[in-house]
């Protein structure tokens, strides 16, 4: 996703698609954005959205295998946060269908089919780009109603 | 322990106290002890206590739906109690209140010293 705002800070993590890294990923994002002093409910929503995106890589993209997940976070001007989660897994053939609430290809594993719906409601903008057999990139943008701007000036 | 399970014979209630983060990784370990107790006791109601749950994503919704189906098959009810505000928000977003009773305040119990 293209963003016109200046990038004030950024980080990239690469880690294998192991289930225990779900927690690691959301704690890493939470730590990285803490300089923006997000409110607790905003932080919780962002952690939930990251957890959904990373879990999808583990559960769906790299089903029966372990692959690499690339997580990037950018802090943009105006207290905007850009988060992208990328895998090189199986991809999604019909993204529109996959984004429908309650749609899941793994119902017998107690997936609720709500991952994309949650990412959507906990971000201002959600983009999903995917190619079957190539992988998926999920990008989220979220503006914080933050007390402390990332550029250090007091509001 | 991410889940502690109790049974009250008088009210035929299984109480499962969940704790920590509920995600895809931890939900796997929470399912089994709860379902084992349910299959052993065939209770009239299952209470899932979220008081000590600090984080939850849609895997927690899957956990609730799965237990709802099980209790529904047994002709029993599911009650979810004491979620923190963020967990409650996610439950409501997912429409969990259509499947089970949601109780937000802790109440002193009625049933054999168990809190409900
Ligand atoms: N990274 C991914 N790689 C491949 N398929 C995916 C990915 N993310 C989501 N999907 C597909 O989209 C569907 C919906 O995802 P989601 O809304 O998170 O629900 P759930 O994970 O509960 O199935 C999944 O069941 C899966 O088929
Ligand atoms: Mg999902």
């Amino acid at each position: 996703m293209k963003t016109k705002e200046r990038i004030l800070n950024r980080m990239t993590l690469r880690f294998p698609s192991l289930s225990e890294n779900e927690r690691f990923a959301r704690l890493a994002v939470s730590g990285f954005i803490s300089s923006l002093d997000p409110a607790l409910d905003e932080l919780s929503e962002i952690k939930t959205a990251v957890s959904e995106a990373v879990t999808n890589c583990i559960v769906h993209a790299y089903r029966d295998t372990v692959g690499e997940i690339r997580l990037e976070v950018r802090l943009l001007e105006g207290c905007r946060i850009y988060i992208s989660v990328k895998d090189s897994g199986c991809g999604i053939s019909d993204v529109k269908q996959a984004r429908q609430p309650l749609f899941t290809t793994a119902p017998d594993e107690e997936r609720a089919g709500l991952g994309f719906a949650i990412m959507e409601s906990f971000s201002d903008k959600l983009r999903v780009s995917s190619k079957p057999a190539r992988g998926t990139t999920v990008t989220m943008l979220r503006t914080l109603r933050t007390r402390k701007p990332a550029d250090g000036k007091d509001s | 322990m991410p889940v502690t399970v109790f049974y009250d014979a008088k009210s035929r209630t299984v109480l499962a106290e969940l704790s920590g983060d509920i995600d895809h990784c931890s939900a796997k370990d929470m399912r089994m002890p709860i379902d084992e107790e349910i299959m052993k006791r065939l209770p009239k109601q299952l209470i899932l206590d979220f008081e000590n749950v600090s984080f939850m994503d849609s895997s927690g919704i899957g956990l609730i739906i799965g237990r709802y189906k099980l209790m529904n098959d047994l002709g029993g009810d599911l009650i979810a109690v004491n979620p923190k505000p963020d967990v409650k928000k996610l439950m409501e977003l997912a429409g969990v209140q259509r499947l089970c009773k949601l109780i937000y305040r802790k109440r002193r119990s009625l049933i054999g010293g168990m809190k409900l």
Side-chain angles (χ1 to χ4, degrees):
Chain A
M1 202 186 311
K2 281 208 196 85
T3 51
K4 36 189 188 315
E5 295 94 340
R6 204 156 54 91
I7 299 171
L8 303 170
N9 197 0
R10 76 197 293 174
M11 71 111 168
T12 309
L13 287 175
R14 292 166 197 275
F15 52 89
S17 60
L18 304 173
S19 196
E20 56 263 42
N21 284 334
E22 293 155 12
R23 180 180 163 80
F24 164 66
R26 54 181 189 265
L27 292 183
V29 173
S30 164
F32 186 68
I33 67 172
S34 66
S35 63
L36 294 177
D37 194 20
L40 283 181
D41 62 321
E42 292 176 309
L43 190 60
S44 164
E45 292 187 359
I46 291 166
K47 282 167 72 179
T48 309
V50 168
S51 199
E52 297 296 344
V54 169
T55 301
N56 279 353
C57 302
I58 294 164
V59 175
H60 305 296
Y62 299 118
R63 164 172 300 271
D64 305 324
T65 152
V66 175
E68 188 176 80
I69 300 172
R70 184 180 173 281
L71 167 67
E72 185 187 348
V73 183
R74 299 178 194 164
L75 306 186
L76 308 172
E77 275 178 318
C79 301
R80 264 153 80 81
I81 301 171
Y82 165 109
I83 299 170
S84 108
V85 178
K86 183 177 190 296
D87 67 68
S88 310
C90 69
I92 303 171
S93 54
D94 186 343
V95 170
K96 205 173 155 215
Q97 180 189 46
R99 290 180 66 156
Q100 295 289 319
L102 306 180
F103 176 84
T104 179
T105 49
D108 40 323
E109 289 159 51
E110 300 199 344
R111 305 307 314 155
L114 291 172
F116 281 131
I118 288 168
M119 287 183 250
E120 188 142 13
S121 55
F122 288 173
S123 60
D124 300 323
K125 203 170 186 180
L126 169 71
R127 209 190 118 188
V128 183
S129 63
S130 189
K131 267 212 183 84
R134 297 288 297 275
T136 303
T137 304
V138 168
T139 313
M140 295 177 275
L141 267 173
R142 164 99 188 220
T143 304
L144 295 181
R145 49 162 213 282
T146 196
R147 284 96 56 167
K148 189 172 141 199
D151 57 14
K153 281 178 253 146
D154 282 326
S155 49
Chain B
M1 270 302 270
V3 54
T4 316
V5 186
F6 306 89
Y7 179 65
D8 178 66
K10 219 168 121 200
S11 59
R12 291 186 52 211
T13 299
V14 170
L15 166 70
E17 290 182 350
L18 309 168
S19 65
D21 289 11
I22 307 183
D23 58 13
H24 157 255
C25 187
S26 66
K28 286 186 292 200
D29 301 327
M30 294 180 171
R31 278 203 286 272
M32 240 234 289
I34 301 173
D35 289 0
E36 277 175 1
E37 190 71 14
I38 292 175
M39 294 325 285
K40 190 164 109 193
R41 310 291 194 179
L42 304 174
K44 249 181 21 202
Q45 62 176 2
L46 169 67
I47 300 174
L48 296 175
D49 190 340
F50 289 85
E51 180 169 19
N52 295 314
V53 172
S54 42
F55 170 88
M56 187 172 99
D57 65 17
S58 72
S59 306
I61 304 297
L63 183 79
I64 295 172
I65 295 172
R67 307 299 68 71
Y68 164 77
K69 287 181 178 160
L70 190 55
M71 287 308 293
N72 200 45
D73 288 346
L74 296 174
D77 294 321
L78 174 64
I79 304 173
V81 300
N82 300 330
K84 298 232 167 71
D86 296 327
V87 173
K88 174 186 167 205
K89 181 169 39 176
L90 196 82
M91 286 178 176
E92 288 175 343
L93 188 69
V96 161
Q97 65 279 4
R98 289 193 294 266
L99 303 181
C100 68
K101 202 193 277 176
L102 279 178
I103 298 176
Y104 300 125
R105 288 163 293 109
K106 185 156 77 186
R107 289 187 299 171
R108 275 284 127 211
S109 185
L110 10 154
I111 43 172
M114 294 197 319
K115 57 184 192 235
L116 165 62

